[in-house]
Amino acid sequence: MLKNHFVIAWRNLWKNKKYNILNIFGLAIGITCTSLILLWVEDEMGYNKVFPKQDTIYYLPTNQEYEGEWRTFFQSTPGPLANDLKNEIPEIVRAARTLGSNFLFANGDKNMYRFGRYADTDILEIFDLEFLEGSTENALERPDALIITQKLAHELFGEDEGALNKTIMVNNTELLTITGVIKDLPENVSFGFNWLTPIKPYLSDEARSWANEYGNNFADTFVELSPEADFENTDAKVRAFLPSKIEGSNDYAFLHNIKDWHLRSNFIDGKKKGGRIVLVRLMAIVALLILLIACINFMNLSTARSEKRGKEVGVRKVLGSKKNSLVSQFMTEAVMTSALAGLLSVFLLISLMPHYNQLIGKQLGIALFSSYHGPVLLGVTLVCGILAGWYPALYLSSFRPAQVLKGERKVSGTATLIRKGLVVFQFAISIIFISATIVIYQQIQHIKNRNIGYSKENLLQVRATGNIIKNFDVIKNELIATGTTENVALSNTNMLFDGNNGSGLKWQGGTDTEDVLISFRFVSADFFETFGLEIVDGRGFGQEVSLDSTNTLITESFAKMMGEGSAVGKTINRWEENYTVIGVVKDYVYGDMYGTSDPVMFFNNKTFASNLYIKLKDGTNLENTLTSVEKILKAHNPGFPVDYGFVDETFNALFRSEQLTGQLSSLFALLAILISCLGLFGLAAYTAEQRKKEIGVRKVLGSSTTSIVQLLSKDFMRLVFLALLIAGPLSWWMMKSWLENYAYRIEMNIWILFLTGISATCIALLTVGFQAIKAARLNPVKSLRTE
């Protein structure tokens, strides 16, 4: 019986291949799109799953109150916290501090910067790291210990040579001994690293005595709870810990589970809200909608062609076929169509995956024969076949043989209404995708084109390592002498990020001064000219650092807090030292590119610099200029590779999440429209075929091609206009809600809906119009011929 079903199904598929090709192609696109999204969702949901202790590992962010608002900070716990938590809270069985840094590794002619972490010994047990060489026991006990990943070991020593117990030069200053090689961590971990080294010797340095006091927040703290620990009770103890150690402080740390690090690390007023999980859920919904649109095509074309198959159903019922048998037959056809679409989607996935990886910035793969990917693809294909086939199967099998064999069977009003409703649904979803694409693109451009208060173009950022600070003046003069450089400066922070900050300052003319978070910037005198920062009052720093050692520049927002009149000449007390304001800098944007940045206080001190900024002249040959820069830096800082990047590229990377959302929205809008148009194309073709005799008669009676095109198009265009009426307000509300997540945003304009409507109408008109013109130009003699 089943064999007969398959044979008959194959014959019917081949007999009606014109329409089934559209079905197969539409379903294939839907399955491919859904599979790509599910691969991305799988990767996002799989963050940190490489660590086995999912239920007991926690990170400790801190909530700090400034000006009546709670702000959540990462890498913001004091040095003694981890050890004290472990000793004083029984539920915490392990605790570790880490501090991220970049090391320069040198081995022969190999020099490379790699990111890693200073860490306490417990980090090995907390993350249960897998050792390929060495073991967990005592791996971080010795002061010069270094644990590296397998990838870094291969980069330094080759794949055939062991690394254990070898010494390696780090930062061209100290030798470390490799005490372990661990298995590489995957890309989808929140706190990745390429190496680990003990943090205790690093913080024991006399110059870092501040790191062992409460009130100085700088470290990442991880803890492991006992499996029997009650989370609520333990979290309450952790929240009360910092206030008990710091007199008069309301700031507190809290437990943040490993499962939430990637997807739920967005905090507003100290509480979790939104985060990456919102995008993941949105993409999952999009996958379902795309698949649904593809299935709708199948349902529409199958029910539209019911009259063609009515006699087949009538004859088979007269010959004794039961309804269940007919349902089974039609479902077999639907599943076979879906299976063919699934096979086509495999080829599409293989072809598109490299481009898709480039788009989303990941390295995803299709493991069809794995225990997960293959069954999921098979499941999606099967669901697609069942979803697309159930309604046509029930509808076609319900025909009464007496009616259809007499030619009395007409397409029911209910079937027509459902079909039209599905077309409206398809185009409504497509219109929402088009609107989303336009709004997201506008928002990204709005942020990118925002006046951030300084010039980021032609600005080169170089890691200030080795002798760069010591030889700064010589390097600066030689770079300017090349004729390609306008200015050079040093800074202790990346210009685009928050950097060092603190509170408790007091100043003249202000009130409530201790409750304000101030950012600190240690810079060279050329910093303001290099970035094009505008000094609106007073002056900048002089080249003689000693003359400005107790002077400071501040931003406008800081100056406003100092009361009326000019801030120049007023004093600021920072941690028992008085500084005189000599200049006011126009506010600029850093940290949160969508909001308002904190006030800034500048110091003429390049000792703590970590970045060298080089402002290049417009119109210079970039390749030659970079060669000159590299040559000069290597001459005055030998042994250190030149590690550089452009500020504008770093700036653009800050919007990677929004750009990904926009790119995926554009892609899925295109696919949704393509799938919808395939269905509309098939329906228009079938309608034209049904009405070909009517068209022939109209042409004989003198109707023009234009009037016939209008006749065939108007019904479909009404459906598109109805979709516009439904999708317009819905897309407006959805995108307005999305924009409310950003403090600095565009305003929704009505023209977006007009543009979306025009786009959808034109696309639908072209799709239907092609078939309408083809039908209208058909020779009426052929249309009216009776066999």
Side-chain angles (χ1 to χ4, degrees), residues 420-537:
K420 288 180 178 179
L422 293 175
V423 171
V424 169
F425 176 80
Q426 279 185 310
F427 269 88
I429 297 300
S430 300
I431 288 164
I432 290 172
F433 279 142
I434 295 172
S435 299
T437 300
I438 295 172
V439 172
I440 293 170
Y441 174 79
Q442 277 192 302
Q443 174 65 4
I444 294 172
Q445 294 306 116
H446 181 64
I447 295 296
K448 283 187 174 182
N449 296 330
R450 180 183 184 182
N451 182 8
I452 59 175
Y454 56 89
S455 174
K456 61 183 181 297
E457 285 73 28
N458 298 321
L459 197 57
L460 199 64
Q461 177 179 311
V462 182
R463 198 189 303 273
T465 53
N467 295 322
I468 283 183
I469 299 173
K470 176 183 174 183
N471 297 329
F472 171 70
D473 291 331
V474 178
I475 291 171
K476 172 189 168 183
N477 291 333
E478 290 191 14
L479 286 171
I480 293 175
T482 63
T484 61
T485 302
E486 284 186 10
N487 221 320
V488 187
L490 287 166
S491 173
N492 71 314
T493 62
N494 187 309
M495 185 63 173
L496 297 169
F497 302 131
D498 287 324
N500 298 354
N501 51 35
S503 59
L505 281 67
K506 298 180 181 179
W507 49 80
Q508 285 180 284
T511 57
D512 301 324
T513 59
E514 295 186 11
D515 194 30
V516 180
L517 187 65
I518 306 294
S519 291
F520 306 127
R521 300 289 182 264
F522 298 89
V523 300
S524 64
D526 316 84
F527 180 81
F528 308 101
E529 292 83 359
T530 302
F531 276 89
L533 288 164
E534 183 182 351
I535 298 176
V536 295
D537 191 13

Side-chain angles (χ1 to χ4, degrees), residues 218-460:
F218 67 94
D220 291 304
T221 297
F222 300 89
V223 299
E224 180 186 340
L225 303 190
S226 164
E228 296 79 26
D230 178 76
F231 170 78
E232 298 293 340
N233 182 47
T234 308
D235 187 47
K237 291 180 181 180
V238 171
R239 287 171 182 258
F241 204 85
L242 285 181
S244 71
K245 298 292 183 180
I246 307 172
E247 187 177 351
S249 174
N250 292 326
D251 300 345
Y252 62 90
F254 60 94
L255 298 176
H256 188 42
N257 186 255
I258 188 172
K259 296 175 183 176
D260 293 336
W261 292 353
H262 179 67
L263 297 175
R264 299 174 182 86
S265 284
N266 186 56
F267 293 84
I268 296 177
D269 199 23
K271 298 177 182 178
K272 278 190 288 190
K273 185 175 180 180
R276 190 79 169 178
I277 188 65
V278 175
L279 180 59
V280 172
R281 287 170 179 162
L282 179 63
M283 289 299 106
I285 293 171
V286 167
L288 179 61
L289 290 175
I290 293 288
L291 195 63
L292 196 54
I293 290 172
C295 293
I296 285 171
N297 278 352
F298 186 98
M299 295 163 70
N300 275 344
L301 286 174
S302 297
T303 54
R305 299 186 65 254
S306 60
E307 289 184 9
K308 287 283 187 181
R309 302 203 65 180
K311 290 185 178 180
E312 174 195 344
V313 172
V315 170
R316 293 183 65 182
K317 281 195 170 185
V318 168
L319 294 176
S321 294
K322 302 295 183 183
K323 183 174 180 178
N324 289 343
S325 176
L326 291 171
V327 169
S328 176
Q329 174 61 54
F330 293 130
M331 285 300 297
T332 302
E333 290 181 24
V335 171
M336 283 185 67
T337 302
S338 183
L340 292 171
L343 289 174
L344 178 58
S345 71
V346 171
F347 292 103
L348 290 175
L349 282 168
I350 294 170
S351 303
L352 295 174
M353 188 55 70
H355 307 287
Y356 184 64
N357 280 333
Q358 188 176 6
L359 174 69
I360 62 176
K362 294 179 181 287
Q363 290 301 316
L364 305 181
I366 316 166
L368 290 176
F369 300 104
S370 71
S371 60
Y372 180 73
H373 288 176
V376 167
L377 181 61
L378 187 62
V380 169
T381 303
L382 184 62
V383 167
C384 200
I386 294 171
L387 191 63
W390 72 271
Y391 177 69
L394 291 176
Y395 178 69
L396 291 170
S397 62
S398 67
F399 288 179
R400 293 182 179 178
Q403 287 182 328
V404 293
L405 292 176
K406 289 179 180 180
E408 296 175 357
R409 174 73 188 183
K410 301 292 182 184
V411 179
S412 70
T414 303
T416 303
L417 187 62
I418 291 174
R419 188 161 61 249
K420 288 180 178 179
L422 293 175
V423 171
V424 169
F425 176 80
Q426 279 185 310
F427 269 88
I429 297 300
S430 300
I431 288 164
I432 290 172
F433 279 142
I434 295 172
S435 299
T437 300
I438 295 172
V439 172
I440 293 170
Y441 174 79
Q442 277 192 302
Q443 174 65 4
I444 294 172
Q445 294 306 116
H446 181 64
I447 295 296
K448 283 187 174 182
N449 296 330
R450 180 183 184 182
N451 182 8
I452 59 175
Y454 56 89
S455 174
K456 61 183 181 297
E457 285 73 28
N458 298 321
L459 197 57
L460 199 64

Side-chain angles (χ1 to χ4, degrees), residues 150 451 676 752:
Q150 183 182 30
N451 182 8
S676 299
I752 293 174

Side-chain angles (χ1 to χ4, degrees), residues 558-619:
F558 199 154
K560 289 175 183 176
M561 294 189 296
M562 300 183 76
E564 296 182 2
S566 174
V568 174
K570 294 181 180 180
T571 58
I572 301 171
N573 182 275
R574 176 183 179 261
W575 306 337
E576 300 182 358
E577 180 122 16
N578 288 322
Y579 293 88
T580 302
V581 178
I582 62 171
V584 177
V585 180
K586 190 168 184 175
D587 283 333
Y588 65 96
V589 182
Y590 67 91
D592 181 8
M593 293 294 159
Y594 300 97
T596 303
S597 302
D598 291 322
V600 183
M601 187 175 181
F602 297 93
F603 303 92
N604 191 7
N605 185 342
K606 59 189 180 186
T607 307
F608 306 113
S610 57
N611 293 291
L612 175 74
Y613 289 101
I614 303 170
K615 181 67 173 180
L616 305 178
K617 290 183 178 179
D618 292 334

